[in-house]
C-alpha cells in the first residue's frame, strides 16, 4: 500500500521499547481504540498508513518502523534468507523485535488509557509474523491480531501462551493464492495451528500475489469492527 491518501505525524522514538513510529493524522482527541500496524521486509512504516482509512474515528493508529535498517527507506524486523527448504530467519533478532513490540503496546496503552480489549496489532508479511508473535505469546495484551500475507514462526513455540489464555484471542488471516514470496500453503499452516491452539480466527484467500488488495482491506476493516 502507499501513503497517497493518509497523513502521518513526524517520526518519533518510544523510549521504553526503542522503536520509532508515526501516528496517523488526525489523532482522535480521546482515543478509545488502538491499532498498531507493522510493515513488511524492506518496507517502511508509512507503507501501511492507508489501512487506517475506514477505521472508527476514535481509533489511534500507530505505524511502527522495524529496528533493522536494510537500506535507504528500507527496514526489517529481522533478517532472513530463502533456501530450498524454506525461509531461514535470524531468530535472535525476531525475538528482540517481539519483546520490543510488547513494551510498545504496553506503553501506548498506558499513555492513551486504552484497554487490551480495544487493542489490535496487525501487519503485512514480516510485520504480520511479528503481530502473530506478540499476540500468541501475550494474548492478554490485545483483543486480536491481523496476519496479512505472513506466517507463524516455528521458533515461537517456546513462547506460546497456554490454550486457556488464548481462548479470548481473535485473528484475521489473509493470503494471496498466487503469492510467490510466501506461498499460500503458509496460510493453511497458520489456519491449522490456530485451530489447534483454540484461537478463533477467519481465513480469507484472494486471487492476488504478495500484497493487500481492496478486498483484503475491506475484509480486514469488517473483522476489526467486529471484535472491538
Amino acid at each position: 500500500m502507499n501513503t497517497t491518501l493518509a497523513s502521518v505525524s513526524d517520526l518519533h522514538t518510544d523510549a521504553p521499547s526503542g522503536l520509532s513510529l508515526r501516528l496517523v493524522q488526525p489523532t482522535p482527541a480521546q482515543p478509545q481504540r488502538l491499532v498498531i500496524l507493522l510493515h513488511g521486509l524492506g518496507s517502511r512504516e508509512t507503507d501501511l498508513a492507508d489501512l487506517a482509512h475506514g477505521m472508527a474515528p476514535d481509533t489511534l493508529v500507530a505505524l511502527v518502523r522495524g529496528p533493522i535498517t536494510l537500506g535507504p527507506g528500507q527496514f526489517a524486523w529481522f533478517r532472513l534468507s530463502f533456501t530450498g527448504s524454506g525461509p531461514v530467519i535470524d531468530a535472535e533478532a525476531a525475538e528482540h523485535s517481539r519483546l520490543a513490540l510488547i513494551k510498545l503496546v504496553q506503553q501506548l496503552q498506558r499513555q492513551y488509557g486504552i484497554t487490551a480489549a480495544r487493542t489490535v496489532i496487525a501487519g503485512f508479511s514480516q510485520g504480520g509474523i511479528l503481530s502473530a508473535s506478540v499476540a500468541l505469546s501475550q494474548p492478554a495484551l490485545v483483543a486480536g491480531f491481523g496476519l496479512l500475507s505472513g506466517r507463524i514462526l516455528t521458533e515461537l513455540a517456546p513462547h506460546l501462551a497456554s490454550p486457556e489464555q488464548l481462548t479470548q484471542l481473535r485473528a484475521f488471516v489473509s493470503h494471496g493464492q498466487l503469492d510467490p514470496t510466501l506461498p499460500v500453503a503458509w496460510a493453511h499452516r497458520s489456519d491449522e495451528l490456530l485451530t489447534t491452539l483454540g484461537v478463533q480466527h477467519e481465513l480469507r484467500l484472494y486471487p492476488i500475489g504478495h500484497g493487500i488488495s481492496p478486498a483484503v482491506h475491506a475484509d480486514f476493516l469488517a473483522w476489526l469492527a467486529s471484535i472491538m
Side-chain angles (χ1 to χ4, degrees):
M1 302 190 75
N2 56 55
T3 57
T4 55
L5 298 177
S7 175
V8 299
S9 71
D10 291 336
L11 188 72
H12 66 278
T13 300
D14 170 68
S17 66
L19 294 171
S20 297
L21 67 151
R22 302 177 193 267
L23 300 177
V24 171
Q25 302 294 300
T27 56
Q30 294 182 316
Q32 301 298 311
R33 312 163 206 262
L34 171 64
V35 175
I36 298 168
L37 298 177
L38 311 178
H39 64 79
L41 175 69
S43 186
R44 60 187 300 164
E45 71 284 352
T46 52
D47 285 352
L48 289 188
D50 284 350
L51 268 183
H53 285 282
M55 291 184 188
D58 62 357
T59 305
L60 181 73
V61 182
L63 310 170
V64 192
R65 175 179 289 186
I68 299 171
T69 301
L70 301 178
Q74 298 180 321
F75 304 93
W77 301 97
F78 55 85
R79 296 182 187 274
L80 83 160
S81 56
F82 291 95
T83 70
S85 57
V88 177
I89 73 164
D90 180 342
E92 184 177 348
E95 177 63 2
H96 179 272
S97 289
R98 182 183 73 88
L99 295 175
L101 283 164
I102 289 170
K103 291 180 181 178
L104 177 64
V105 173
Q106 293 170 330
Q107 172 60 18
L108 289 173
Q109 288 172 338
R110 284 193 299 266
Q111 183 177 352
Y112 293 96
I114 300 173
T115 66
R118 292 295 188 96
T119 301
V120 164
I121 187 168
F124 172 72
S125 193
Q126 196 177 90
I129 290 172
L130 263 297
S131 297
S133 293
V134 169
L136 292 173
S137 63
Q138 296 289 327
L141 273 184
V142 295
F145 69 95
L147 180 61
L148 314 181
S149 299
R151 66 188 181 99
I152 300 173
L153 297 178
T154 57
E155 292 85 353
L156 183 65
H159 307 291
L160 287 172
S162 68
E164 293 76 19
Q165 294 172 309
L166 292 168
T167 55
Q168 300 304 311
L169 194 63
R170 304 291 187 271
F172 177 82
V173 180
S174 68
H175 216 100
Q177 295 167 308
L178 308 176
D179 193 330
T181 304
L182 285 174
V184 70
W186 287 109
H188 294 299
R189 293 179 194 179
S190 297
D191 178 40
E192 293 170 2
L193 177 59
L194 292 174
T195 299
T196 299
L197 294 174
V199 176
Q200 297 184 48
H201 63 284
E202 294 183 18
L203 172 64
R204 299 293 184 93
L205 303 180
Y206 305 84
I208 60 173
H210 195 62
I212 299 175
S213 67
V216 175
H217 185 188
D219 289 345
F220 173 69
L221 289 179
W223 170 81
L224 191 66
S226 73
I227 71 163
M228 70 171 190

